[in-house]
Amino acid sequence: MIMRANDGSGRAPRMEIHQAMWALKCYGSEGREWTLEEKLERIAEAGFTGIFGSLPDQAEEKQWRRLLDRYGLSFGLESFPGTSLELSQLLDRAGDFPVLYVNAQVPDAYTTGQEAVARLASLMETADRYKVPFFMETHRGQLTQDLLRTVEYVRELACMRLTIDFSHYVLAGEMYNFE
């Protein structure tokens, strides 16, 4: 029997801790933003095992690969696919870039019930065709913006994998008293 890790490989399960690249925009010192290499060097020095971000432009892809290898970092892909076609186009563009997993914030907050379940199922099927681990992120303003709906989706789609950001459940359910 072959044991499969969450990433679909035959490697033993392991903990991956990724730094979001969006969190390092405009981040730096001495009045200037750090270069990509400075960011990745600091990420590795801080003990992270990878980065989470958008695909680099094709012109920057070689530099990204070189730096990911140099600092021993894996790459998780952020995405915002509303349809299977959008996800397919993203994964085609990813080509042979070393994507460990795809994390999706699936629009929109106003789609619910079976329509939402069908959209999620379609995205999961697309990711399966590309043989890439695929996670739905719980996020305000998206299909998974609240705990009640997300539980409904997981009951319908038992194989759905989640990236859970509990803070968004608090924000999505926040109520104001205007007295």
Side-chain angles (χ1 to χ4, degrees), residues 22-29 32-34 39:
W22 62 261
L24 294 177
K25 286 183 180 174
C26 302
Y27 202 86
S29 57
R32 67 169 182 82
E33 184 172 350
W34 289 338
K39 290 175 184 180

Side-chain angles (χ1 to χ4, degrees), residues 43-57:
I43 288 169
E45 286 173 354
F48 291 93
T49 59
I51 62 168
F52 172 66
S54 300
L55 283 175
D57 293 332

Side-chain angles (χ1 to χ4, degrees), residues 49-121:
T49 59
I51 62 168
F52 172 66
S54 300
L55 283 175
D57 293 332
Q58 201 168 19
E60 298 175 328
E61 206 172 287
K62 284 183 182 176
Q63 177 190 22
W64 274 79
R65 286 174 183 271
R66 181 178 53 78
L67 293 173
L68 289 170
D69 286 344
R70 176 182 291 167
Y71 296 106
L73 297 169
S74 58
F75 181 82
L77 178 59
E78 71 178 338
S79 68
F80 307 89
T83 66
S84 294
L85 177 60
E86 290 173 3
L87 181 59
S88 290
Q89 290 170 340
L90 176 66
L91 295 176
D92 284 341
R93 195 175 138 240
D96 63 349
F97 199 76
V99 173
L100 181 63
Y101 63 91
V102 176
N103 185 78
Q105 292 181 22
V106 182
D108 62 79
Y110 302 106
T111 302
T112 61
Q114 286 306 307
E115 185 180 351
V117 170
R119 182 180 301 168
L120 294 170

Side-chain angles (χ1 to χ4, degrees), residues 140 145 166-175:
R140 69 186 181 283
Q145 79 170 1
F166 291 110
S167 71
H168 288 281
Y169 287 153
V170 173
L171 292 172
E174 185 175 19
M175 301 294 287

Side-chain angles (χ1 to χ4, degrees), residues 6-9 75-77 79 87-88 90-92 94-95 97-103 123-135 161:
N6 230 5
D7 66 2
S9 74
F75 181 82
L77 178 59
S79 68
L87 181 59
S88 290
L90 176 66
L91 295 176
D92 284 341
F97 199 76
V99 173
L100 181 63
Y101 63 91
V102 176
N103 185 78
L123 292 169
M124 291 167 57
E125 289 167 10
T126 299
D128 280 348
R129 282 197 311 275
Y130 283 84
K131 301 196 182 323
V132 62
F134 186 69
F135 299 87
R161 296 175 178 169

